[in-house]
């Protein structure tokens, strides 16, 4: 059960030091509610109610409650006191020097207040009488989900493009400084390679066969390899480590490892 | 998105795009709204339609076409939605939502917030003449009918309460200005600041 | 429920209840199906309708009435339901636009293609000095900034890439020949000065 099924929803706001027993005077929600109810009973337009009569009715009610030893909530008593004051102001002729509002003013204010509460009551009734969603009116029971497609738009400006190209175009310039190894097969490397080659294969072979194949791929490197190999060959021949021969001009230069005898002599 | 809106603004000038025929525009609005359980603002409908279409005109034609059918096109909660005709509510008992019955205090408080919004708690109490219970306001907030509005720029900067789109949708209101009898109540001085509160009891009921 | 069904069975005999007019029956079916979360079998629709109505006939009329509108009454597994017209499916998607800048790899690849077109993938990799990711080229093709060009008449006949009209449009170029050359870029300050070829930083001054 919902806690709001009863009309006592306002009780929980009250401080606990108030009397726990509050007269639920026929379900009135406070003195203003009760006054409105009494005013309605006059069966005239709220603007034409007799506030004096209303005050008297209210005071009579409070008196009877007291007689029946019913403890009234404090706000009912405050209202009673104020209405008693209002009644006196209405009945006694106003004094010339009186700075307080006149009885008629006070009565008019109370009447307006009742009117305003009444107006909200009527408005609430109209509101609740409307065709309500889920009661009289229904929405689509099977709504179709709307797919959200994330459309990615990629952008790049001409500036980005040019900068990117400039960056690539200058990579060679921008790279860290280092010395390039020139494409030269040095004599030292040639000596090492030829000594190894002759050790493994001491018989007559063309010098070209002993050159490193990866140096023969382009002209520049090939020249360097041939030159390096030739200088190394001459050097090894001088040291007596190899023998060389050539059949004729421009014929392949043949080399082989020197005979041990020759080597000894040279030493 | 902004470029789209700019493009829309130019649509009257731009005749390059042939807008879909009127019947087609009606079909589109119909499908878009049918697919949604919640009201869609005109701007959102228009944004989903192709260039050069007139969503508002299509809505008007569609509303007329549905007329008094079992399903109607209504303007509600700041948008447009299809809703079943109220006279057929009895057929939808299986769909009817179990609603918590609002107490009289709850109903009155809701009405006061709806008609007086933005309204502070103290103002609600002044009108009702009793202290507002925390539970009553909490329930209205929980139902998503009421939410906190801007703070009142008066001493203490009290919070105000306003109604929500869910409230409008639930009660079939296009906007808060369409509350029944709002204009009459305003004209009669029933809404708005009370003239000179004066020494009436119950003012400041919240202080107790 | 069983008493209701029994009553229904008798409806042909029972003439006490005046059935609602046909238009009204259509409205009822319309509202019931609209509000239902699931497709409804004929039997259930009929069960919800008042005595003496012919749900099937009403369904048929309603289906014809919706015809080719933006919403259709269709028979699906499990019963009858309203569905938005399939040809309007595109309206059920909203686009959330998001703009992202092309990655460095993307823009570099694009620049190489723009300046060296037609250019093979291997050539792009050689120039950039890194392997080209599949995704980068795919994105450029997807954006329609780059497309496949003629195959290179070399062993393996590798595919080449060239830029498109869309590319020229996007970058505001009349033709690919309008791209400024390296010298112009240098003059425009797009390329910084090359590192000094002067004295070697033997004392490590360059590190500071």
């Amino acid at each position: 059960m919902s806690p709001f099924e009863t009309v006592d929803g306002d009780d929980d706001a009250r401080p606990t030091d108030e009397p726990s027993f509050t007269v639920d005077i026929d379900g009135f929600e406070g003195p203003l509610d009760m006054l409105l109810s009494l005013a309605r009973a006059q069966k005239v337009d709220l603007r034409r109610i007799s506030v004096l009569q209303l005050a008297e009715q209210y005071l009579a009610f409070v008196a009877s409650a007291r007689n029946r030893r019913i403890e009234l909530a404090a706000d009912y008593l405050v209202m009673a006191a104020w209405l008693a004051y209002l009644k006196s102001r209405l009945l006694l002729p106003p004094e010339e020097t009186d700075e307080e509002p006149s009885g008629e003013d006070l009565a008019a204010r109370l009447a307006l207040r009742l009117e305003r509460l009444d107006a909200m009551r009527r408005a609430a009734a109209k509101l609740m009488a409307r065709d309500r969603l889920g009661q009289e009116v229904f929405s689509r029971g099977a709504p179709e989900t709307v797919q959200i497609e994330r459309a990615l738009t990629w952008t790049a400006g001409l500036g980005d493009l040019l900068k990117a190209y400039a960056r690539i175009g200058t990579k060679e310039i921008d790279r860290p400084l280092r010395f390039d190894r020139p494409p030269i097969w040095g004599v030292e490397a040639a000596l090492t390679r030829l000594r190894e080659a002759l050790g493994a294969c001491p018989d007559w072979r063309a010098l070209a066969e002993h050159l490193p194949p990866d140096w023969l791929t382009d002209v520049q490197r090939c020249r360097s390899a041939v030159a390096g190999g030739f200088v190394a060959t001459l050097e090894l021949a001088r040291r007596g480590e190899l023998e060389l021969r050539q059949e004729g001009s421009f014929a392949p230069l043949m080399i082989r490892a020197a005979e041990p005898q020759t080597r000894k002599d040279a030493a | 998105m902004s470029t789209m809106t700019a493009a829309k603004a130019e649509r009257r000038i731009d005749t390059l795009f042939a807008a879909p025929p009127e019947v087609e525009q009606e079909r589109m609005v119909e499908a878009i709204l049918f697919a949604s359980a919640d009201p869609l603002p005109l701007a959102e409908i228009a944004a989903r339609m192709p260039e050069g279409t007139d969503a508002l005109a299509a809505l008007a034609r569609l509303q007329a076409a549905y007329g008094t059918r079992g399903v109607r096109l209504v303007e509600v909660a700041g948008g447009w939605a299809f809703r079943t005709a109220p006279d057929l509510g009895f057929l939808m008992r299986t769909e009817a939502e179990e609603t918590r019955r609002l107490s009289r205090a709850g109903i009155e408080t809701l009405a006061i917030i709806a008609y007086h919004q933005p309204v502070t708690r103290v103002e609600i109490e002044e009108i009702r003449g009793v202290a507002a219970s925390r539970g009553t306001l909490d329930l209205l907030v929980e139902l998503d009918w009421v939410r906190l509005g801007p703070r009142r720029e008066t001493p203490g900067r009290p919070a105000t309460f306003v109604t929500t789109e869910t409230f409008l949708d639930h009660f079939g209101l296009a906007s808060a200005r369409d509350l029944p009898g709002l204009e009459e109540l305003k004209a009669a001085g029933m809404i708005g600041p009370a003239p000179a509160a004066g020494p009436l009891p119950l003012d400041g009921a919240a202080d107790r």
Side-chain angles (χ1 to χ4, degrees), chain A, chain B:
Chain A
M1 175 178 140
S2 146
F4 299 99
E5 300 234 345
T6 52
V7 193
D8 58 359
D10 287 323
D11 284 354
D12 56 351
R14 299 201 174 149
T16 45
D17 59 358
E18 283 213 297
S20 57
F21 174 70
T22 314
V23 178
D24 179 24
I25 309 142
D26 292 339
F28 289 124
E29 279 196 82
L32 201 62
D33 185 21
M34 188 177 164
L35 276 173
L36 181 57
S37 197
L38 291 171
R40 282 248 185 80
Q42 290 188 12
K43 299 199 187 228
V44 290
D45 190 312
L46 277 182
R47 275 165 228 206
R48 273 179 242 129
I49 53 159
S50 162
V51 173
L52 183 61
Q53 191 191 331
L54 198 60
E56 280 168 348
Q57 280 178 311
Y58 185 93
L59 292 171
F61 156 77
V62 172
S64 84
R66 273 189 179 147
N67 289 341
R68 283 183 282 151
R69 294 174 187 275
I70 296 170
E71 196 178 347
L72 287 173
D75 44 359
Y76 283 86
L77 301 178
V78 172
M79 180 60 91
W82 188 82
L83 285 174
Y85 165 74
L86 171 64
K87 188 180 161 189
S88 72
R89 301 278 310 177
L90 284 171
L91 293 176
L92 298 174
E95 290 167 33
E96 296 275 323
T97 57
D98 205 345
E99 283 180 8
E100 303 261 303
S102 71
E104 279 72 25
D105 278 354
L106 292 176
R109 280 179 205 170
L110 178 61
L112 179 65
R113 202 136 168 206
L114 292 171
E115 236 188 306
R116 283 167 74 102
L117 176 59
D118 190 53
M120 280 304 107
R121 292 256 163 96
R122 287 167 194 274
K126 269 189 208 160
L127 196 60
M128 300 315 277
R130 289 185 68 83
D131 293 322
R132 290 160 63 181
L133 188 66
Q135 305 297 313
E136 290 83 22
V137 166
F138 294 85
S139 60
R140 176 92 190 268
E144 292 161 47
T145 47
V146 174
Q147 291 177 312
I148 296 172
E149 288 185 349
R150 304 214 162 272
L152 265 180
T153 314
W154 294 90
T155 57
L158 185 59
D160 298 324
L161 188 75
L162 300 182
K163 275 186 198 134
Y165 188 65
R167 202 160 57 224
I168 302 159
T170 55
K171 249 179 194 161
E172 288 296 307
I173 306 166
D174 285 344
R175 67 175 194 190
L177 185 69
R178 65 181 158 85
F179 288 104
D180 287 328
R181 198 161 49 157
I184 288 171
W185 198 48
V187 177
E188 285 306 313
L191 282 171
T192 311
R193 184 174 173 91
L194 285 183
R195 275 191 181 123
E196 279 171 11
L198 292 172
C201 181
D203 289 336
W204 288 108
R205 281 274 174 94
L207 170 63
E209 285 177 58
H210 292 300
L211 297 179
D214 57 317
W215 278 80
L216 307 178
T217 49
D218 75 73
V219 181
Q220 188 121 23
R221 287 160 70 89
C222 187
R223 273 185 196 145
S224 172
V226 171
F230 183 62
V231 172
T233 301
L234 293 180
E235 175 62 20
L236 289 173
R238 187 182 67 81
R239 292 185 192 175
E241 289 182 38
L242 65 71
E243 295 172 29
L244 65 159
R245 75 163 195 241
Q246 195 173 22
E247 303 293 337
S249 297
F250 301 108
L253 193 63
M254 305 299 286
I255 57 172
R256 71 166 183 186
E259 294 293 327
Q261 187 59 48
T262 321
R263 222 178 233 183
K264 216 175 267 174
D265 292 349
Chain B
M1 208 58 162
S2 64
T3 56
M4 251 185 93
T5 322
K8 292 249 150 155
E10 282 172 40
R11 76 177 170 206
R12 274 181 195 82
I13 307 155
D14 198 337
T15 48
L16 277 174
F17 298 101
E22 290 198 344
V23 175
E24 203 55 24
Q25 295 189 30
E26 254 177 78
R27 292 183 73 231
M28 290 175 177
V29 172
E30 189 179 21
I32 290 171
L33 287 179
F34 230 83
S36 174
D38 297 317
L40 294 179
L42 175 63
E44 196 177 326
I45 300 167
R48 280 167 61 182
M49 302 268 288
E51 285 301 309
T53 53
D54 186 342
L56 190 59
L59 277 165
R61 288 195 305 276
L62 199 60
Q63 192 172 37
Y66 271 84
T68 56
R69 298 197 60 98
V71 170
R72 303 185 313 174
L73 180 55
V74 294
E75 200 174 353
V76 72
W80 294 79
F82 276 115
R83 296 283 183 257
T84 59
D87 65 302
L88 299 176
F90 71 96
L91 292 169
M92 264 68 74
R93 254 172 238 132
T94 49
E95 274 85 23
E97 291 162 23
E98 280 288 316
T99 49
R100 282 200 263 186
R101 260 185 53 206
L102 271 185
S103 67
R104 200 170 110 183
I107 293 167
E108 272 182 33
T109 305
L110 177 65
I112 291 168
I113 294 171
Y115 283 82
H116 289 259
Q117 61 186 310
V119 64
T120 67
R121 186 195 180 101
V122 168
E123 287 161 351
I124 297 168
E125 290 172 335
E126 273 172 11
I127 294 165
R128 293 196 62 230
V130 285
S133 102
R134 174 107 228 129
T136 305
L137 275 167
D138 281 354
L139 178 63
L140 293 175
V141 170
E142 198 186 303
L143 285 168
D144 194 21
W145 285 351
V146 161
R147 62 174 176 81
L148 284 174
R151 286 189 179 274
R152 181 68 52 80
E153 290 305 335
T154 54
R157 302 186 74 239
T160 64
F161 294 92
V162 294
T163 55
T164 63
E165 300 226 320
T166 310
F167 163 82
L168 295 174
D169 196 12
H170 186 88
F171 290 97
L173 296 163
S175 77
R177 287 185 304 278
D178 297 304
L179 284 161
L182 182 67
E183 286 312 310
E184 294 89 317
L185 289 171
K186 259 186 197 157
M190 296 294 108
I191 296 173
L200 279 183
L202 308 175
D203 289 347
D207 299 335
R208 282 172 301 142

